[in-house]
Amino acid sequence: MAQTKRIDPGARNLNELSKPTERLHVAGAGDDYNEQEAEQTKAAISSVYDMIAATWNLGDLWNWGFHDAKLEAQVEEILPGFTSFGSDGFSELLYFHTLTQIPLGLDAYRDKRVLEVGCGIGAGLNFLSRVTGAAQLSGVDISKAAIARANGRYSRGEQLTYTVGDAENLPFEDGAFDVVVNVESSHSYPSLGRFFDEVARVLKPGGYLSLVDALTDHRADTFAKAMPGCPRLEWLAENDISPQVKAAVRKRMAPDSFVRRTFAQQRMSPVKRTIAQHGLLTALGAPFTGDASMSPVAKWSRKKTGLGVSDKAPVRSYRHYLATRVS
């Protein structure tokens, strides 16, 4: 597997690091990416997530979240008190929704192998291991720092492991997995077509891909063009889950929320706090719900934190996709 050359995080700020990725969202790039451009994008992404993995301290905030009272009750029955310590539960519910869209009962995972592509710091896959008891769960991510943190906190022998790797060149054997999940990660892949081909390769015939992500208009168009290009994947469902995601985002933005209270405890100067607060609200999904400030200070802050693309190419929908590997 070719190794992506990282960019020294100390040499460039987040605004500069985000520039190579903007074409994915602003220009609707897909398989027209050339190899050099794709590698630059991956290097920038890996560097950004190396920085995040090394510093992230906002508890179980791994994605924009999902809010549904009935789904929360299901998880509470399996893991009583799962939101009682260091989590608001919304990130877990997005993972649980992604999993339960697959037509397999939770008991069926006892002899299954599950792969998460884009596992980040590993908490989501660890959560899935607790609700399924799957025989083996593997996570892969392009960020070395994220994988080191994941293995340091969650790995458990052969049952739960994390590996550095590229979503477009997965370091696994053909037909190795029964299920692939992908949570809020595919928007950063230069080639969705290559990703879909790799998923099809590592899935067993009859295996499933369950994917959720935030989509700009251009990225949605890229999805629509890439999906028919992988004949070994049959697409079974596509659903807009924007209402449930927006509900979670708004709950997290509330002044007394777990995330806002945790952020308030961080020590920083007034200027850094202003920048960080606008960056945090953007990372939580405020532009998606229409609750992000459009003041010059807010826009400047988003740019400084590398999130200015949300002003250039806003997310229009949050969608779930389900596919199966055909022989």
Side-chain angles (χ1 to χ4, degrees):
M1 178 185 65
Q3 291 293 314
T4 299
K5 184 178 180 181
R6 267 83 178 157
I7 299 169
D8 178 6
R12 306 176 68 176
N13 61 36
L14 284 171
N15 181 40
E16 292 174 324
L17 285 172
S18 69
K19 289 179 180 177
T21 68
E22 284 195 2
R23 193 161 82 86
L24 287 171
H25 312 287
V26 177
D31 289 331
D32 61 323
Y33 251 50
N34 61 50
E35 291 295 330
Q36 181 178 1
E37 191 176 15
E39 288 306 309
Q40 289 174 346
T41 298
K42 292 175 186 179
I45 291 168
S46 63
S47 296
V48 168
Y49 282 97
D50 281 349
M51 294 171 67
I52 293 172
T55 60
W56 194 248
N57 57 3
L58 284 174
D60 291 342
L61 174 63
W62 327 315
N63 51 58
W64 282 2
F66 188 95
H67 175 60
D68 179 88
K70 291 182 178 180
L71 203 66
E72 182 175 346
Q74 290 180 39
V75 178
E76 184 69 30
E77 187 173 342
I78 301 168
L79 301 174
F82 82 102
T83 63
S84 299
F85 302 96
S87 173
D88 56 24
F90 299 127
S91 290
E92 289 95 331
L93 288 182
L94 184 60
Y95 269 85
F96 196 64
H97 175 79
T98 305
L99 182 76
T100 55
Q101 299 311 293
I102 297 169
L104 294 172
L106 293 180
D107 291 342
Y109 284 86
R110 298 292 176 178
D111 63 348
K112 297 291 190 293
R113 297 186 68 194
V114 177
L115 170 66
E116 181 184 6
V117 181
C119 65
I121 59 176
L125 191 63
N126 178 60
F127 168 75
L128 291 184
S129 75
R130 297 174 65 203
V131 297
T132 65
Q136 188 173 4
L137 300 97
S138 302
V140 62
D141 199 277
I142 200 169
S143 166
K144 289 183 178 179
I147 292 300
R149 181 168 172 172
N151 277 317
R153 295 191 69 180
Y154 302 117
S155 63
R156 295 194 298 276
E158 294 185 358
Q159 184 194 12
L160 181 58
T161 59
Y162 300 91
T163 303
V164 176
D166 183 343
E168 298 174 11
N169 185 22
L170 293 172
F172 303 104
E173 297 179 355
D174 295 0
F177 297 97
D178 301 281
V179 168
V180 173
V181 295
N182 187 252
V183 178
E184 208 169 286
S185 179
S186 68
H187 61 270
S188 62
Y189 305 161
S191 174
L192 277 175
R194 290 186 182 181
F195 167 57
F196 292 153
D197 285 341
E198 280 293 275
V199 168
R201 180 183 66 77
V202 301
L203 274 176
K204 298 176 182 178
Y208 293 97
L209 164 66
S210 188
L211 178 158
V212 292
D213 211 350
L215 300 179
T216 63
D217 287 338
H218 287 309
R219 199 60 176 167
D221 182 62
T222 303
F223 256 86
K225 292 176 179 177
M227 289 163 65
C230 182
R232 290 187 295 175
L233 287 181
E234 178 185 351
W235 296 92
L236 304 176
E238 176 184 348
N239 296 298
D240 191 330
I241 59 173
S242 298
Q244 294 90 339
V245 173
K246 286 182 177 180
V249 168
R250 288 197 166 108
K251 284 183 173 293
R252 277 179 164 160
M253 289 190 299
D256 62 344
S257 72
F258 168 77
V259 173
R260 295 293 291 271
R261 284 186 281 110
T262 305
F263 175 76
Q265 295 169 5
Q266 310 304 310
R267 293 184 177 182
M268 61 189 78
S269 70
V271 172
K272 286 186 177 181
R273 182 168 293 279
T274 296
I275 295 172
Q277 180 167 303
H278 287 297
L280 172 63
L281 292 175
T282 302
L284 290 176
F288 181 44
T289 62
D291 295 309
S293 171
M294 299 307 293
S295 72
V297 171
K299 289 184 176 181
W300 174 77
S301 297
R302 286 194 285 272
K303 185 176 180 180
K304 290 290 288 183
T305 54
L307 298 168
V309 69
S310 65
D311 293 315
K312 298 179 181 179
V315 170
R316 301 297 189 189
S317 66
Y318 203 111
R319 308 190 75 81
H320 169 259
Y321 297 87
L322 178 67
T324 186
R325 159 73 196 278
V326 294
S327 57

